[in-house]
């Protein structure tokens, strides 16, 4: 595994070979959408560890896979996150798609998300 990457959003994106499409550009949080040959994901960088943890805890309610580094997170499908980990290092965490708080977004697939045809 590579050493966990550090740096700005742009530096991380270039290591991940993505052209970041910046969505949020604030002091506390910078967030971009990335599309690579592996798929689409969201890359976010944080000013503080606490801000990062709060963001992850909130985002995890929607499910998904998370690649967590030092003050950065990438979110996407498990296969995209696995491919990214080969470039950026970090720790993989998964969201809790089964506790649906009646959000009604249709985003989470619950328990049936793993039927590969």
């Amino acid at each position: 595994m590579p050493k966990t990457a550090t740096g700005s959003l742009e530096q991380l994106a270039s290591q991940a070979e993505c052209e970041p499409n910046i969505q949020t550009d604030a002091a506390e949080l910078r967030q971009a959408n990335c599309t690579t040959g592996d798929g689409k994901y969201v890359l976010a960088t944080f000013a503080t560890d606490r801000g990062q943890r709060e963001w992850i805890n909130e985002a995890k309610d929607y499910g998904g896979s998370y690649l967590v580094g030092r003050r950065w997170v990438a979110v996407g499908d498990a296969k995209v996150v696995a491919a990214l980990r080969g470039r950026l290092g970090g720790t993989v965490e998964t969201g809790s798609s089964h506790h649906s708080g009646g959000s009604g977004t249709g985003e989470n697939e619950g328990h049936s998300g793993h039927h590969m045809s």
Side-chain angles (χ1 to χ4, degrees), residues 15-54:
Q15 266 183 274
E17 296 172 9
C18 109
E19 197 56 61
N21 175 4
I22 308 276
Q23 304 294 313
T24 305
D25 199 350
E28 273 297 300
L29 163 72
R30 301 187 67 217
Q31 193 172 316
N33 293 338
C34 284
T35 306
T36 66
D38 302 313
K40 288 189 164 118
Y41 57 93
V42 173
L43 185 61
T45 57
F46 306 88
T48 64
D49 296 329
R50 182 170 162 220
Q52 174 182 13
R53 188 38 65 186
E54 285 172 357

Side-chain angles (χ1 to χ4, degrees), residues 68-109:
V68 181
R70 176 144 174 71
R71 296 196 184 161
W72 60 263
V73 180
V75 189
D77 287 343
K79 72 173 181 53
V80 181
V81 165
L84 264 180
R85 188 173 182 220
R87 300 203 175 107
L88 298 178
T91 311
V92 176
E93 299 185 16
T94 48
S96 48
S97 55
H98 23 247
H99 88 224
S100 51
S103 54
T105 54
E107 281 290 327
N108 54 18
E109 302 168 330

